[in-house]
Amino acid sequence: MADVEGFCLKKVLVVFESCLTEKQEVLMDPYIEGWKGLVRFLNSLGTIFSFVSKDAVTKIQIMENFRSGGQQEKYLTVQSMVTYELASGLVDLKNRSEHPNSGCRTILRLHRALHWLQLFLEALRTSQEDSKTSVLCTDSYNASLANYHPWIIRKAATLAFCALPTRNTFLENMNLGSPEEAVDMLGEALPHICKVYEITEALYAKHKLLDLP
Ligand SMILES: CCCCCCCC/C=C\CCCCCCCC(=O)N[C@@H](COP(=O)(O)O)[C@H](O)/C=C/CCCCCCCCCCCCC
């Protein structure tokens, strides 16, 4: 496994806690920041995951551009983005054509990946010491993101998962202390990730945005 010295996953996971406002809205900046931290960790797992991190970086970049562009205040939260893009006709609802990279469809892709992350971290947290990380990752992927990916991506992803280190090495590389301490930290962080996921899911369901092309 590549060197992950200086990297602390706790900081990354805690960022998701700061995504939620008092009104239970999802702030875009910490959401993007959380994904950037996860991609840093992913890059440390080796070049075999480059195709995944490239796609995540492209999506992060799209959202960063919205946050620094002329309509940046409309992208302050996921809620304000949905309201703005729908009211302005900026979302391709049926086919990807005029607005191929809307904020709504880009966040939807990251949102689906957040579901995978949630399942994977929960599996890591609750699994036995001798469980295979590759199996935990494949199962979490098949129960979430894989449903939206074509065969070739599913194949590449499941092949890459075989390169994942053992559960304890993986937990140690998260720099959260011993594997037991890492498991405790996951238990603390996961509810915040779940909450962000649930709020976004309910928002997208309400606006019928869960199948954006
Ligand atoms: C305690 C451990 C922490 C785990 C840290 C995991 C770090 C994960 C970091 C990033 C996750 C990747 C996010 C991937 C976003 C994928 C979005 C997506 O579905 N894109 C596809 C659809 O996009 P459009 O074509 O519609 O624009 C796109 O086709 C995908 C291409 C690349 C392949 C994506 C495979 C996803 C596998 C996710 C598992 C990552 C493996 C991590 C291993 C720990």
Side-chain angles (χ1 to χ4, degrees):
M1 186 178 218
D3 181 30
V4 281
E5 208 178 310
F7 180 87
C8 178
L9 198 65
K10 180 171 182 177
K11 285 188 196 146
V12 173
L13 296 179
V14 162
V15 165
F16 282 99
E17 186 177 349
S18 63
C19 280
L20 288 180
T21 69
E22 277 182 13
K23 286 166 64 188
Q24 300 293 285
E25 297 196 347
V26 179
L27 287 166
M28 200 66 84
D29 291 344
Y31 191 89
I32 295 171
E33 217 39 59
W35 275 111
K36 285 172 88 167
L38 288 169
V39 167
R40 259 188 79 201
F41 185 78
L42 184 67
N43 288 338
S44 77
L45 295 175
T47 51
I48 194 160
F49 289 103
S50 298
F51 74 108
V52 181
S53 92
K54 250 189 195 168
D55 185 68
V57 166
T58 300
K59 286 168 172 57
I60 290 167
Q61 190 66 60
I62 291 171
M63 295 317 301
E64 285 191 319
N65 289 344
F66 283 130
R67 278 300 290 145
S68 58
Q71 300 296 333
Q72 54 183 260
E73 80 287 358
K74 304 286 196 310
Y75 290 85
L76 183 66
T77 65
V78 174
Q79 284 74 5
S80 62
M81 171 194 75
V82 167
T83 304
Y84 166 67
E85 287 197 343
L86 286 180
S88 314
L90 293 173
V91 186
D92 286 344
L93 297 169
K94 292 264 177 277
N95 300 303
R96 210 171 164 205
S97 52
E98 278 175 69
H99 307 288
N101 291 319
S102 66
C104 286
R105 69 96 58 193
T106 303
I107 288 293
L108 177 62
R109 269 57 185 177
L110 293 175
H111 168 68
R112 289 169 177 166
L114 197 67
H115 189 212
W116 160 79
L117 182 72
Q118 187 186 316
L119 297 178
F120 179 54
L121 296 185
E122 180 61 12
L124 261 185
R125 192 180 78 82
T126 54
S127 56
Q128 302 292 318
E129 201 182 318
D130 60 353
S131 303
K132 279 195 179 339
T133 318
S134 56
V135 173
L136 302 178
C137 193
T138 304
D139 289 349
S140 313
Y141 175 72
N142 286 340
S144 55
L145 266 181
N147 295 309
Y148 306 99
H149 289 164
W151 181 87
I152 186 78
I153 298 277
R154 294 202 304 270
K155 198 77 197 157
T158 38
L159 268 177
F161 297 156
C162 295
L164 288 172
T166 64
R167 178 179 179 274
N168 274 2
T169 306
F170 197 89
L171 289 170
E172 279 162 10
N173 277 287
M174 285 159 63
N175 282 351
L176 297 172
S178 66
E180 293 74 24
E181 287 169 321
V183 162
D184 288 346
M185 167 59 203
L186 289 179
E188 283 171 40
L190 261 164
H192 304 294
I193 294 175
C194 292
K195 192 84 187 142
V196 169
Y197 177 81
E198 283 164 13
I199 290 175
T200 311
E201 179 77 5
L203 176 75
Y204 270 62
K206 179 176 156 198
H207 292 281
K208 300 191 170 38
L209 298 175
L210 286 168
D211 295 311
L212 290 180

